Amino acid sequence: MEYRRNGNTEILALIVDDDDVDRERLARMLERCSRPIQVVEASSQAEALEIIRRPASHFDIVFLDFGLEDGDGRDLVPTIHGEVDPDCPIVAVTGFTDELVAAASIKSGMTEFLTKRSLSPERVAASVEEGIAWRRYREELRRAEEELTHRSLHDPLTDLPNRTLFLDRLGQACARARRSGDPFAVVMIDLDRFKEINDSFGHAAGDAVLTTIARRLRAQLREVDTVARLGGDEFAVLLQNISGSEAAMTMASKLVGLVEQPIAHDGRVLHVGASLGVAQCPLLGFSPAGLLSAADDAMYEAKRGIGKAVVARSSGQRHSTPFDRTGMLVELEEALEDRTLRWHWQPKVDMRDGRVLGFEALVRWCDPRGNAIPADHLIKAVEQSPLLEAFTYHSIDTVLGQFSRIQDELGNAAVCINISARMLERSGFVDKVVALVERHGVDPARVTLELTETALIANPGQARRVIEQLHDRRVGLSIDDFGAGFTSFGYLREFAVSEIKIDRSYIRRFAENRFDQSLVNSLVVLCESLGIPLVAEGVEDARTREMLVSLGCHAGQGYGICRPMPYEDVRPWVEGWNRDHIRSAA
Ligand code: C2E
Ligand code: CA
Ligand code: CA
């Protein structure tokens, strides 16, 4: 190896070639570049490796010959990119002139391909410039990716982890606790009087409250603890190594004290209160969803004035008094027995030609006083009650029964049924679903279960097992409300998912919001590469529909296509729709 200097050492180039004449020639050409360049030479693979692996070794560009005495120069590419510098431009310089060789070298991660015969000072100088530009581009891309990942995992106002990252950490803590028994506690914090502050003193005051509290919590907790903002005025904390309800209570009181210290803003002193709910692992089990909802329930108890902080009791005592939903649950239990729950059907269509792809079944219930209970309200109550299992199987049974009666008139359209995340924990879930599918004589390939993205993130292990079992039995699985957590991109590769539904909130803002458009755009690319159909839900108008189609998202569902309708209307609707759309398209 030898060093050649040329003025100020700005660019550091490595030439790997076993032919002394060729190496010399290239080095001389590099030295004639207008940029100051320092050239390092290696005459074998072994020597190159030794140089590359030196501590703090760094090259701005590498020129690599293929046929070296001790091996193929191309073998160095993964070493350079993997061990030393992922953004290092590598230029192939060989005696080969074959197009195929050129293509293969680009594929192997090289940035450029030069043949020895065509080398000239101008060509070499140009490739140095291109290499520098390539590195800059790669670095920008990496920064953008990091930025996007950070943004997708943090709350923009306080920079605390958001719900997605919190759920991820909670999942890890549960897995760790299961392996090693390390205890921890989940704390849910809800601010009291926050809305009043926002309403009377403005959003700036509200933001000041949130950022101050975020800063205090972060400053007072250990590095290993996670403080997250889940949304609005809701925070959550993961406390490592907390065991016993006394320790939990002490920590909880400390947190209440932190939140309730007065906050000075704009010449005023603001006071907010806090309600806290604490759930401990392993006391309450190892399920992230179970712990979260136990902490949530405890927090609501605290809100009702049972204490500023409430530590959830062990599971035997839980669910005994589902707060102020008791009356509703009794009525709901009766509705299940009397089979008075209804499901409305909302079509999902191919927005290019109007082909009906499927129907989503959405629960509808009027309590005995005739009040229509919003579906999400109902589901939240059911999920926190012992009725969940009965409700779920009743919904699958009812909807499949209805589907079986009209399936022959629906072409290939599928039926989609929403499933609560907590059902994943129930043993025999998949077997029961499959038994119901068989009992109603429905082709499992025409049945899709919808599961929210958060369910996957909260409990990836369990989700994976269930999804694989469903896949083996040919039942489809759709990821609902997708987009809240970019982290599940990784999961998508691993899971046998049959559909992704972009969250309604993105579609609502879609026509105006560039960020949402770029999200949809990347989802289209990602889903295409994974071969998973992408569905937009909440499509309310023609403009959104057209933009989605032009971006490559073809399947859609929403008021702008058709509102959810009673089961009895489905058959006539299909007839009318096909008459208007399919025939006219043909
Ligand atoms: P989801 O699964 O995201 O269902 C879509 C919701 O969006 C439905 O609300 C639907 O009526 C509504 N929607 C459809 N198109 C549009 C549109 O263009 N604009 C707007 N703004 N909304 C639209 P719904 O029926 O109130 O259901 C709310 C949530 O309740 C559902 O959200 C689902 O998570 C849950 N849910 C509904 N039925 C069931 C069920 O039988 N079982 C379970 N586990 N969950 C259910
Ligand atoms: Ca759904
Ligand atoms: Ca949805």
Side-chain angles (χ1 to χ4, degrees):
M1 186 192 98
E2 59 188 273
Y3 283 96
R4 295 160 179 268
R5 290 204 172 266
N6 184 346
N8 284 336
T9 52
E10 254 202 332
I11 299 290
L12 196 53
L14 174 67
I15 303 177
V16 187
D17 194 330
D18 57 354
D19 186 316
D20 295 343
V21 177
D22 288 347
R23 207 173 58 238
E24 286 281 315
R25 190 166 153 247
L26 178 56
R28 266 197 314 279
M29 287 183 187
L30 278 169
E31 283 164 353
R32 283 168 58 187
C33 284
S34 55
R35 279 181 190 271
I37 291 191
Q38 180 185 327
V39 178
V40 176
E41 298 179 22
S43 58
S44 68
Q45 206 186 52
E47 191 184 0
L49 274 175
E50 189 268 323
I51 296 172
I52 290 165
R53 286 186 170 145
R54 271 180 210 161
S57 137
H58 171 89
F59 291 97
D60 297 293
I61 189 163
V62 174
F63 293 88
L64 206 55
D65 184 21
F66 286 0
L68 302 171
E69 272 167 6
D70 56 349
D72 192 324
R74 273 171 290 196
D75 297 345
L76 292 170
V77 176
T79 312
I80 298 174
H81 283 162
E83 290 178 26
V84 186
D85 178 359
D87 300 326
C88 184
I90 303 178
V91 181
V93 188
T94 84
F96 298 110
T97 51
D98 192 341
E99 287 284 321
L100 284 176
V101 178
S105 43
I106 298 298
K107 226 175 170 167
S108 76
M110 296 190 173
T111 30
E112 213 188 333
F113 181 87
L114 300 178
T115 57
K116 287 188 175 173
R117 215 179 306 157
S118 69
L119 279 189
S120 68
E122 295 72 33
R123 195 69 206 80
V124 170
S127 67
V128 168
E129 294 309 315
E130 279 158 25
I132 291 168
W134 188 77
R135 176 189 285 282
R136 207 173 294 135
Y137 162 77
R138 294 271 305 184
E139 284 170 353
E140 271 165 22
L141 195 67
R142 193 180 307 283
R143 254 198 307 280
E145 263 174 30
E146 279 165 13
E147 161 83 18
L148 199 63
T149 309
H150 183 88
R151 268 210 308 212
S152 71
L153 296 176
H154 292 80
D155 162 44
L157 178 67
T158 60
D159 205 39
L160 290 179
N162 64 10
R163 182 181 290 273
T164 305
L165 184 53
F166 183 76
L167 290 177
D168 191 50
R169 301 245 174 104
L170 176 60
Q172 286 171 17
C174 284
R176 209 166 36 237
R178 204 190 279 275
R179 272 197 312 273
S180 60
D182 289 350
F184 70 92
V186 184
V187 185
M188 297 289 261
I189 307 176
D190 195 83
L191 306 187
D192 303 331
R193 291 190 300 281
F194 177 73
K195 196 174 166 324
E196 290 159 40
I197 290 179
N198 236 343
D199 291 349
S200 21
F201 304 122
H203 286 295
D207 288 355
V209 167
L210 295 172
T211 46
T212 307
I213 290 174
R215 211 168 33 239
R216 280 183 195 159
L217 292 173
R218 194 53 277 172
Q220 290 298 318
L221 293 169
R222 296 160 301 173
E223 199 53 37
V224 289
D225 299 328
T226 299
V227 183
R229 180 173 172 220
L230 301 189
D233 57 352
E234 212 183 2
F235 292 85
V237 181
L238 212 61
L239 298 168
Q240 305 293 343
N241 290 312
I242 289 282
S243 78
S245 54
E246 218 160 287
M249 203 60 205
T250 310
M251 267 319 281
S253 312
K254 180 177 162 191
L255 295 176
V256 171
L258 284 175
V259 174
E260 297 199 332
Q261 274 170 31
I263 294 166
H265 171 72
D266 204 13
R268 277 202 189 83
V269 179
L270 308 171
H271 293 271
V272 281
S275 301
L276 258 79
V278 186
Q280 291 166 277
C281 175
L283 182 70
L284 298 184
F286 299 97
S287 142
L291 288 165
L292 266 187
S293 98
D296 218 31
D297 288 354
M299 191 216 25
Y300 274 103
E301 270 186 47
K303 260 220 179 312
R304 283 191 309 160
I306 289 167
K308 289 247 157 233
V310 171
V311 178
R313 296 171 299 274
S314 72
S315 44
Q317 295 156 278
R318 280 202 301 133
H319 297 319
S320 47
T321 52
F323 63 95
D324 75 3
R325 294 193 181 119
T326 326
M328 177 164 145
L329 287 173
V330 170
E331 290 166 1
L332 184 62
E333 196 161 13
E334 281 163 10
L336 279 174
E337 274 164 24
D338 305 343
R339 304 196 143 241
T340 53
L341 291 170
R342 295 284 171 262
W343 273 266
H344 278 196
W345 291 44
Q346 187 180 33
K348 172 175 75 184
V349 306
D350 187 320
M351 296 182 286
R352 291 168 300 183
D353 54 14
R355 200 161 44 92
V356 179
L357 305 171
F359 291 88
E360 177 176 7
L362 296 157
V363 71
R364 295 293 176 257
W365 183 50
C366 283
D367 72 11
R369 287 163 302 288
N371 301 319
I373 308 294
D376 40 6
H377 207 86
L378 171 69
I379 296 302
K380 193 154 198 276
V382 168
E383 282 175 347
Q384 304 194 357
S385 81
L387 293 179
L388 176 63
E389 213 160 329
F391 170 84
T392 305
Y393 295 127
H394 176 67
S395 70
I396 299 174
D397 188 30
T398 310
V399 173
L400 287 179
Q402 296 182 330
F403 183 70
S404 72
R405 289 197 288 283
I406 55 172
Q407 57 180 340
D408 295 341
E409 289 144 68
L410 300 183
N412 283 324
V415 63
C416 308
I417 305 174
N418 291 286
I419 298 295
S420 296
R422 282 188 154 185
M423 284 308 294
L424 300 186
E425 302 159 13
R426 306 300 158 105
S427 66
F429 171 66
V430 173
D431 289 336
K432 285 186 196 144
V433 172
V434 172
L436 286 169
V437 171
E438 280 170 6
R439 185 187 318 150
H440 289 291
V442 173
D443 176 1
R446 288 180 70 184
V447 179
T448 298
L449 303 186
E450 296 197 0
L451 201 64
T452 60
E453 183 193 18
T454 34
L456 292 197
I457 301 174
N459 202 337
Q462 209 141 34
R464 180 204 305 272
R465 262 194 305 285
V466 170
I467 293 173
E468 274 169 11
Q469 287 172 14
L470 287 171
H471 181 74
D472 291 345
R473 321 289 281 268
R474 294 175 49 239
V475 176
L477 186 112
S478 164
I479 302 188
D480 208 349
D481 302 346
F482 191 88
F486 291 62
T487 39
S488 38
F489 278 9
Y491 296 140
L492 289 181
R493 291 214 170 74
E494 301 166 29
F495 290 171
V497 166
S498 48
E499 175 187 278
I500 288 172
K501 286 181 112 167
I502 314 171
D503 192 45
R504 220 162 45 241
S505 60
Y506 291 98
I507 305 304
R508 196 181 58 224
R509 301 173 306 206
F510 178 72
E512 289 88 47
N513 189 315
R514 306 273 295 151
F515 183 75
D516 292 333
Q517 287 163 18
S518 77
L519 175 89
V520 171
N521 200 22
S522 6
L523 272 178
V524 167
V525 174
L526 181 83
C527 287
E528 254 167 25
S529 77
L530 296 171
I532 305 174
L534 184 65
V535 180
E537 64 171 17
V539 180
E540 296 191 352
D541 52 66
R543 191 167 132 71
T544 305
R545 202 170 57 221
E546 282 153 18
M547 283 180 71
L548 282 165
V549 170
S550 72
L551 279 181
C553 176
H554 302 144
Q557 183 183 339
Y559 295 167
I561 296 163
C562 178
R563 290 193 171 248
M565 62 191 128
Y567 169 66
E568 294 70 31
D569 295 351
V570 172
R571 208 185 324 215
W573 178 85
V574 169
E575 276 172 23
W577 177 270
N578 284 346
R579 204 169 37 238
D580 294 348
H581 290 80
I582 308 299
R583 297 246 172 84
S584 65

